[in-house]
């Protein structure tokens, strides 16, 4: 059900904050939402019919979670395990459990550990509970977002400064992309949802709410900021025109609207890192997904939580899949404020700080503003997948791994 009045008001409350500050959406979706605008009433019957089929598919993913787990190929798994270096008796937190590929690899490397498996997706939580049955003394399943991690860990008896390693495998999981009823993928038709934990918060705005409620300027801002889409204005205009005829409620409907704003030759003109053609709406879907799930703000909170609960000498490993995520991780590890302008590179900031003598300097880098560094980088440069890894798992082609030790 679309929630126009609420979403418009919510957008105005927080979007201007991160646009002016150069940071990310700092708002949190309230739990109370207003009802659908009157102009959508005539479409509700058909939409409910579509959703009933989608919900049945959604239930099936819990039954098929064992199959998903067997098919899942974790990204850069050897590098992750090497950086975490699990040892007997240590305590780890996987903040993005997903299908559990990395968690299983860690347990295979060293089974005599305690591993807290956190995920905001109930489907992933169900898989974590299955793993806890196989490893009843080692695995503790936790359901929640990054912003809820501190409370969940405290409730589980974990004290700050006691973890030996934390893993973040960011972005959208294969399990979510492969389920059309979740609304993440543009390749198969499904409801335009994109909520990672919509089942827990049914009133949380969906991607359909974003597409149908916000004005053209707001949509363009979201596409430009979260999708780094250079044609943001053109796509936003196309969305506004299309929704005036019929609400945009399906994934392939949105993909068609975006494609319709360009000549046929441009629809698959973009190339990925493997030089494969990608759909022109890919960045639009990324932008909507990040905005709906408040992913960048959640990431920053998650990094701060990891820092709080890691012991000195504890290890943080973060896998990111686009420049927005990687930029946050990099800035966090180097002690650079999130409010700094993005067009000033890390190297420029380091040189600028060194010139004025206001930063703390070591061989790994320089913190900005005189704040001592909190991390020692395990690798000076970001790690990327090997050619063989990309062939085995093309979805991991854009992965970037950063790892650091808490000082």
């Amino acid at each position: 059900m679309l929630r126009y009045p609420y979403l418009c008001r919510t957008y105005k409350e927080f979007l201007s904050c991160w646009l002016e500050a150069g940071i990310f959406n700092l708002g949190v979706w309230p739990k109370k939402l207003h009802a659908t605008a009157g102009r959508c009433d005539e479409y509700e019957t058909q939409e409910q019919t579509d959703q009933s089929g989608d919900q049945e598919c959604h239930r099936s993913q819990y039954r098929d979670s064992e199959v998903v787990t067997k098919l899942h190929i974790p990204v850069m798994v050897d590098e992750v395990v090497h950086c975490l270096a699990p040892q007997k008796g240590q305590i780890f937190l996987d903040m993005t459990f997903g299908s559990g590929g990395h968690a299983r690899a860690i347990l295979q490397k060293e089974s005599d550990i305690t591993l807290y498996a956190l995920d905001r997706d109930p489907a992933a939580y169900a898989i974590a509970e299955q793993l806890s049955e196989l490893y009843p003394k080692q695995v503790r399943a936790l359901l929640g977002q990054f912003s809820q991690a501190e409370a969940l860990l405290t409730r589980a008896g974990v004290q700050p400064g006691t973890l030996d390693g934390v893993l973040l495998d960011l972005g959208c999981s294969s399990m979510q992309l492969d389920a059309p009823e979740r609304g993440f993928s543009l390749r198969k038709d499904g409801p335009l949802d994109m909520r990672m934990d919509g089942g827990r918060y049914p009133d949380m705005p969906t991607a359909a709410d974003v597409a149908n409620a916000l004005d053209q300027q707001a949509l363009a801002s979201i596409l430009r900021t979260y999708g780094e889409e250079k044609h943001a204005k053109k796509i936003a205009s196309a969305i506004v025109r299309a929704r005036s005829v019929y609400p945009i409620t399906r994934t392939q409907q949105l993909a068609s609207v975006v494609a319709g704003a360009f000549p046929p030759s441009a629809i698959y003109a973009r190339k990925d890192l493997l030089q494969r053609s990608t759909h022109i709406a890919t960045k639009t879907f990324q932008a909507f997904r990040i905005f709906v799930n408040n992913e960048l703000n959640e990431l920053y909170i998650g990094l701060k939580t990891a820092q709080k609960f890691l012991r000195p000498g504890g290890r943080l490993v973060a896998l990111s899949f686009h420049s927005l995520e990687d930029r946050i991780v990099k800035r966090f590890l180097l002690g650079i404020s999130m409010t700094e302008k993005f067009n000033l590179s890390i190297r420029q900031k380091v040189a600028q700080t060194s010139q004025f003598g206001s930063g703390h300097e070591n061989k790994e880098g320089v913190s900005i503003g005189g704040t001592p560094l909190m991390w020692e980088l395990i690798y000076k440069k970001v790690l990327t997948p090997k050619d063989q890894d990309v062939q085995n798992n093309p979805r991991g082609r854009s992965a970037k791994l950063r790892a650091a030790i808490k000082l």
Side-chain angles (χ1 to χ4, degrees), residues 67-78 99-102 105 169 173-175 178 319 321 388-397 399:
V67 176
V68 171
T69 301
K70 291 179 181 178
L71 295 176
H72 176 66
I73 303 175
V75 178
M76 300 182 70
V77 62
D78 293 337
S99 297
H102 289 111
D169 182 8
S173 69
S174 294
M175 179 173 60
D178 291 336
L319 278 166
F321 292 86
Q388 186 60 46
D389 291 335
V390 174
Q391 291 180 13
N392 295 336
N393 185 11
R395 280 180 175 169
R397 62 191 177 275

Side-chain angles (χ1 to χ4, degrees), residues 242-315:
R243 77 188 188 194
S244 66
V245 178
Y246 195 96
I248 302 172
T249 60
R250 311 288 295 183
T251 54
Q252 290 195 341
Q253 186 184 1
L254 175 61
S256 297
V257 169
V258 175
F262 299 88
S265 60
I267 295 176
Y268 286 98
R270 292 176 175 174
K271 305 290 184 182
D272 63 17
L273 294 178
L274 300 180
Q275 294 303 304
R276 302 181 306 179
S277 297
T278 59
H279 196 280
I280 194 71
T282 299
K283 290 186 176 182
T284 298
F285 273 66
Q286 172 187 304
F288 278 22
R289 189 203 81 219
I290 292 174
F291 183 79
V292 165
N293 293 289
N294 196 22
E295 290 182 34
L296 301 186
N297 187 51
E298 282 290 316
L299 169 56
Y300 183 58
I301 296 173
L303 290 168
K304 291 195 294 183
T305 301
Q307 179 174 290
K308 180 176 181 178
F309 278 83
L310 278 171
R311 65 169 177 83
R315 293 168 175 246

Side-chain angles (χ1 to χ4, degrees), residues 41-261:
D41 290 344
E42 60 187 286
Y43 304 111
E44 284 186 7
T45 303
Q46 179 61 41
E47 186 177 346
Q48 289 171 359
T49 301
D50 293 337
Q51 287 180 348
S52 63
D54 295 327
Q55 289 170 355
E56 177 59 33
C57 293
H58 184 64
R59 286 190 290 269
S60 71
Q61 69 181 304
Y62 294 94
R63 298 192 294 268
D64 297 338
S65 60
E66 213 170 296
V67 176
V68 171
T69 301
K70 291 179 181 178
L71 295 176
H72 176 66
I73 303 175
V75 178
M76 300 182 70
V77 62
D78 293 337
E79 291 86 346
V80 167
V81 174
H82 175 74
C83 290
L84 288 174
Q87 298 178 21
K88 184 177 180 179
Q90 290 188 328
I91 306 173
F92 293 89
L93 170 63
D94 185 346
M95 299 189 75
T96 48
F97 179 79
S99 297
H102 289 111
R104 284 180 171 81
I106 295 169
L107 288 166
Q108 288 173 3
K109 178 69 174 179
E110 176 55 66
S111 61
D112 190 8
I113 60 172
T114 300
L115 191 148
Y116 291 90
L118 171 72
D119 207 291
R120 66 187 293 178
D121 191 332
Y125 175 71
I127 299 175
E129 286 191 312
Q130 291 177 5
L131 187 63
S132 69
E133 293 175 1
L134 295 175
Y135 296 91
K137 296 182 179 180
Q138 293 95 332
V139 178
R140 307 285 187 272
L142 302 174
L143 177 62
Q145 303 172 4
F146 291 163
S147 55
Q148 299 166 334
E150 181 173 349
L152 290 169
L153 289 169
T154 301
R155 195 179 307 152
V158 182
Q159 298 298 319
T162 59
L163 295 180
D164 295 285
V166 176
L167 169 64
L168 296 97
D169 182 8
L170 305 170
C172 190
S173 69
S174 294
M175 179 173 60
Q176 293 164 335
L177 287 171
D178 291 336
E181 66 275 7
R182 303 294 299 273
F184 289 98
S185 176
L186 56 81
R187 299 189 181 279
K188 295 181 181 179
D189 190 43
L192 191 57
D193 193 326
M194 299 194 192
R195 296 173 298 176
M196 291 183 176
D197 47 6
R200 299 180 64 212
Y201 306 107
D203 287 338
M204 178 182 176
T206 66
D209 293 318
V210 176
N212 290 282
L214 301 183
D215 59 34
Q216 184 172 327
Q217 181 180 358
L219 288 171
S221 297
I222 290 172
L223 295 173
R224 189 181 305 110
T225 303
Y226 294 125
E228 299 178 301
E229 174 58 71
K230 62 181 179 180
H231 300 296
K233 289 185 178 180
K234 180 186 289 189
I235 294 173
S237 176
I239 291 173
V240 171
R241 287 197 306 271
R243 77 188 188 194
S244 66
V245 178
Y246 195 96
I248 302 172
T249 60
R250 311 288 295 183
T251 54
Q252 290 195 341
Q253 186 184 1
L254 175 61
S256 297
V257 169
V258 175

Side-chain angles (χ1 to χ4, degrees), residues 362-406:
N362 66 13
K363 64 180 180 180
E364 278 76 30
V366 180
S367 66
I368 303 304
T371 304
L373 281 173
M374 298 295 295
W375 303 93
E376 176 186 354
L377 302 184
I378 296 177
Y379 298 103
K380 280 188 176 182
K381 294 184 178 181
V382 65
L383 296 186
T384 55
K386 300 174 184 176
D387 292 340
Q388 186 60 46
D389 291 335
V390 174
Q391 291 180 13
N392 295 336
N393 185 11
R395 280 180 175 169
R397 62 191 177 275
S398 59
K400 293 182 178 181
L401 186 151
R402 295 186 186 274
I405 299 173
K406 182 180 175 181

